[in-house]
Amino acid sequence: MYLKDIPLDEAWRRFWEALAERGLAGPIDEEVVPLDQALRRVTSRPVWAQTSSPHFHSAAMDGFAVRSSDTSGATDRLAADLVIGQTASYVDTGDVIPEWADSVIPIESVELVGGAASLRGPGQIRIRGPASPWSHVRVMGEDMVATEMILPSGHSLRPVDLGAAAGGGHAEIWVRRRPRVAVVPTGSELVAPGQPAGPGQIIEFNSLVLSGQVTEWGGLPVRSSVVRDDPEAIAAAVSSAARSSDLILLNAGSSAGSEDFTARTVQALGELLVHGVAVRPGHPVVLGMIRPDADSPKGSAKWTPLIGVPGFPVSAALTGEIFVEPLLAKWLGRPPLAQVQTQATLTRKVHSSAGDDEYLRVTLGRVGDRMVASPLPRGAGVLTSLVRADGIVLIPAGVQGIQAGERVSVHLYRPMDEIEKTILALGSHDMTLDLLSQFLAPRGRRLVSGNVGSLGGLVALQRGEAHLAGSHLLDPATGEFNLPYLAQYLPDVPVLILTFVEREQGLIVAQGNPKNVRGLADLGRADLAFVNRQRGSGTRLLLDFHLEKIGIQPESVRGYRQEEYTHLAVAAAVASARADVGLGIHAAAAALDLGFVPLFSERYDLIIPRSHASGPLLAPMLDLLHETEFREAVARLPGYGVTRMGEVVGPGGAPPPT
């Protein structure tokens, strides 16, 4: 069990005190490296100019070096003539200025006279205006003066910094040694990336994420091969890592299950400081110290800190941000990475555990004059939520949730200029939205889509939380798609309805259709397990409409209340044998090599408030709907038609020019 589930600041206090007691809380040792190997390294000493730059007076332009006093009185009407080689000397940009000269006259401001055959004489030049002292001259020390500090210590070196150090007379530079971080993945169920994973096996990728983070933060990661769930094997791997590393990241096995050996390993090999921190995701973190190896050479023995990283992918990545980055910053002598913040309005209510700090992943976009934050899936195993996340909202311990519409502070993961170019699409899931996103990227736009169902998309537009909504709501009374719902859900929002695609809906079944499913009437069979779409989705409304027409009650459909939010999730349920059948689009079935029983053709529209349709943000997207390359790419997907793509179907009027 956890020794104690303690607050984050208490966990940090214990960790820092243990590091300080063993002399590990200060900057790591330093080394000298050539400038061409110093990019992104952190300076361990200030860098002082050894020479001035430039170290001589040089010409800033092509022209003639002169004494400014020799040009006084020159005007358009009373020109002055200077003798080449005596009172004027030709110089190219960067040439040394003669000791007697104090100015350069640009070549375009002089005339060759007196039989001058070339710029270098013999002959004369004529000028029609005076030259100011030191004009068009790079004076000695203009860039830097010898003994001047060029760079401070604790500075992460950029390309321009390397040039400045070289200009100051340096070929090498003192930097902090990159901390060696051992990344040790554990778990008998793990297989290496690229290897086939059978039932019960998991592809090991946490070590790639952790190693990438370490590299990005200035450390030197050393990934080991996967260690099986065996206490002796894990202890041996930790002991070996401690001998050659500054920090050990032992991934997985940090909880309290029968095969969670991290805490026991730390207790056996050193000192266990923390087992369980009140943060979510990342709850079962282990912090400890591994004692010196008895076999270490005299004078080289040291304690090695260990962080037991949870196995869930999101927990692992956030543990890196919370614990590893600040520690590496301390060792490298640089400040922790700045957390750029922005304010946003939360689009829906979220609940939180009152006893833990929670890190909520969100996407961001500017809709009208508001920055809106949409929560992403919160599961600790959903790594793609971090891939899609634009930022993190910290919900402090003691706060049980945040209301929709509340202002929140967001720690940004993505540059603000990218967020300002983000198109937010909420509503029904469709696979062509990913294709649309792919085509928009080279056009300077990012499409972020959220699967909240067709009705959810209309509600989001009404609340001002999206730029557009994908919808395929069938009105049973009229047989029309989407238009009849506008008066109910968007009575005060002028919108355009553009046809995006026509697509085929049907029953997704296992390859070969082993249960011999022929139509919706089969859903009443007791031997069929069904997987449904969520309430409010267009597919769910379509199903309910046709079930009612053929007289099948929803409660008689086995699995009717088993819900998924996308067509691909429905297909995955069938592919994994969690269900025998689900209603979805043809392309989703084809993506997972499943069988498909076609039933309906439907229109999938984009519903866009006119205030957004006329703006520059959506212009590249609206143009794409009429481009041949994009239309052909969509048409190649199974079950899609594009003949009406971009057509205005309501509520009247053409879209504004883009």
Side-chain angles (χ1 to χ4, degrees):
M1 298 301 293
Y2 301 119
L3 294 182
K4 191 174 182 182
D5 188 15
I6 61 175
L8 179 58
D9 56 354
E10 170 65 13
W12 261 122
R13 185 191 64 77
R14 294 187 189 182
F15 199 30
W16 281 125
E17 286 182 356
L19 290 166
E21 288 173 3
R22 295 161 175 84
L24 299 174
I28 206 163
D29 47 301
E30 58 182 354
E31 62 184 359
V32 177
V33 298
L35 284 177
D36 61 1
Q37 298 176 25
L39 185 64
R40 302 305 176 199
R41 301 293 295 272
V42 178
T43 55
S44 59
R45 304 179 185 182
V47 179
W48 307 91
Q50 295 179 339
T51 182
S52 298
S53 178
H55 58 278
F56 54 85
H57 300 323
S58 64
M61 298 188 70
D62 298 340
F64 284 87
V66 300
R67 292 186 192 90
S68 57
S69 59
D70 292 341
T71 68
S72 60
T75 66
D76 274 342
R77 294 185 178 182
L78 188 61
D81 291 345
L82 302 175
V83 179
I84 299 174
Q86 296 181 22
T87 54
S89 177
Y90 179 76
V91 287
D92 287 316
T93 301
D95 283 353
V96 178
I97 301 296
E99 291 184 4
W100 51 265
D102 67 353
S103 187
V104 171
I105 301 175
I107 186 67
E108 58 268 24
S109 298
V110 304
E111 305 169 26
L112 294 177
V113 295
S118 73
L119 297 175
R120 301 187 184 277
Q124 296 176 319
I125 62 169
R126 179 167 295 161
I127 60 173
R128 299 183 182 277
S132 302
W134 304 109
S135 61
H136 306 302
V137 175
R138 290 194 69 210
V139 298
M140 185 187 77
E142 178 185 77
D143 191 0
M144 66 186 81
V145 179
T147 75
E148 180 181 356
M149 188 175 76
I150 306 171
L151 300 167
S153 61
H155 180 75
S156 183
L157 290 163
R158 305 165 298 173
V160 292
D161 299 326
L162 304 181
H170 295 274
E172 299 174 326
I173 195 167
W174 282 94
V175 295
R176 292 291 170 196
R177 178 176 61 80
R178 295 175 67 191
R180 289 177 60 87
V181 181
V183 182
V184 184
T186 69
S188 300
E189 75 282 7
L190 300 178
V191 297
Q195 299 300 312
Q201 292 183 312
I202 300 172
I203 296 173
E204 195 288 300
F205 54 76
N206 278 348
S207 67
L208 290 171
V209 176
L210 293 167
S211 296
Q213 289 179 319
V214 168
T215 300
E216 195 170 65
W217 297 330
L220 182 65
V222 181
R223 289 172 61 217
S224 78
S225 56
V226 174
V227 181
R228 68 185 186 279
D229 285 322
D230 176 78
E232 293 184 0
I234 294 173
V238 169
S239 295
S240 175
R243 285 191 288 270
S244 59
S245 304
D246 301 294
L247 173 66
I248 302 168
L249 302 182
L250 187 60
N251 183 220
S254 64
S255 191
S258 62
E259 295 186 346
D260 291 325
F261 301 119
T262 296
R264 280 175 272 178
T265 299
V266 176
Q267 284 178 315
L269 298 179
E271 181 182 358
L272 180 63
L273 303 169
V274 173
H275 188 188
V277 181
V279 295
R280 292 183 184 274
H283 192 59
V285 172
V286 169
L287 302 177
M289 304 293 297
I290 304 302
R291 72 171 62 89
D293 194 317
D295 297 329
S296 298
K298 188 175 181 179
S300 68
K302 64 177 180 59
W303 288 76
T304 307
L306 178 146
I307 300 176
V309 182
F312 278 123
V314 176
S315 299
L318 288 176
T319 296
E321 293 183 14
I322 296 169
F323 290 101
V324 179
E325 194 280 329
L327 178 57
L328 294 183
K330 193 73 171 179
W331 283 347
L332 291 168
R334 62 164 175 79
L337 295 179
Q339 295 190 353
V340 181
Q341 304 276 336
T342 192
Q343 297 293 309
T345 301
L346 201 65
T347 60
R348 63 177 174 83
K349 181 179 180 179
V350 294
H351 297 281
S352 183
S353 172
D356 299 332
D357 292 333
E358 178 170 1
Y359 294 80
L360 177 71
R361 294 139 271 168
V362 297
T363 59
L364 293 170
R366 186 173 297 283
V367 182
D369 59 357
R370 291 194 310 163
M371 183 67 70
V372 297
S374 301
L376 284 164
R378 300 164 77 182
V382 188
L383 184 62
T384 52
S385 68
L386 276 181
V387 174
R388 297 176 57 200
D390 297 326
I392 289 285
V393 174
L394 173 60
I395 306 177
V399 176
Q400 294 189 356
I402 305 176
Q403 298 296 322
E406 191 171 334
R407 296 277 288 173
V408 294
S409 182
V410 184
H411 164 208
L412 292 180
Y413 278 175
R414 201 179 300 273
M416 184 56 75
D417 62 337
E418 287 188 35
I419 293 170
E420 294 286 358
K421 296 175 183 177
T422 296
I423 300 172
L424 294 179
L426 297 179
S428 173
H429 170 250
D430 189 78
M431 294 175 64
T432 55
L433 293 178
D434 290 337
L435 199 58
L436 181 61
S437 177
Q438 175 186 330
F439 273 77
L440 279 173
R443 292 162 171 81
R445 295 294 184 271
R446 187 174 69 108
L447 180 69
V448 173
S449 58
N451 307 314
V452 298
S454 294
L455 288 178
L458 298 186
V459 171
L461 293 183
Q462 194 277 329
R463 293 176 177 171
E465 297 171 353
H467 298 106
L468 60 96
S471 182
H472 61 115
L473 292 168
L474 175 66
D475 178 39
T478 64
E480 177 60 65
F481 285 95
N482 299 318
L483 273 169
Y485 292 86
L486 297 185
Q488 180 179 356
Y489 290 95
L490 297 169
D492 303 317
V493 181
V495 298
L496 287 172
I497 300 183
L498 299 179
T499 296
F500 187 46
V501 292
E502 294 169 290
R503 64 185 192 179
E504 199 172 40
Q505 285 255 39
L507 295 175
I508 299 174
V509 296
Q511 182 62 254
N513 196 3
K515 294 287 185 85
N516 194 29
V517 177
R518 298 301 177 192
L520 289 181
D522 289 327
L523 297 186
R525 288 165 41 185
D527 66 325
L528 285 183
F530 182 68
V531 57
N532 208 348
R533 287 291 305 281
Q534 82 278 19
R535 293 183 63 183
S537 68
T539 299
R540 176 74 164 261
L541 292 175
L542 181 70
L543 172 72
D544 291 346
F545 170 67
H546 285 284
L547 287 181
E548 184 178 4
K549 281 182 66 174
I550 61 178
I552 293 181
Q553 297 299 314
E555 55 268 22
S556 68
V557 177
R558 180 179 158 218
Y560 179 86
R561 303 202 181 281
Q562 181 184 188
E563 298 179 349
E564 295 292 348
Y565 277 77
T566 68
H567 294 281
L568 280 174
V570 169
V574 174
S576 65
R578 188 159 54 88
D580 299 311
V581 59
L583 184 61
I585 57 175
H586 190 170
L592 297 188
D593 196 26
L594 296 169
F596 184 74
V597 180
L599 296 178
F600 316 111
S601 179
E602 64 176 6
R603 199 180 72 229
Y604 180 92
D605 296 333
L606 301 180
I607 301 177
I608 310 173
R610 284 184 174 269
S611 58
H612 301 319
S614 59
L617 181 67
L618 268 61
M621 186 197 77
L622 297 176
D623 291 341
L624 265 179
L625 304 186
H626 302 282
E627 292 188 9
T628 301
E629 184 182 4
F630 175 67
R631 293 165 68 100
E632 289 179 347
V634 173
R636 285 194 291 270
L637 295 174
Y640 280 99
V642 297
T643 56
R644 299 184 63 185
M645 180 177 285
E647 177 183 324
V648 178
V649 294
T658 61

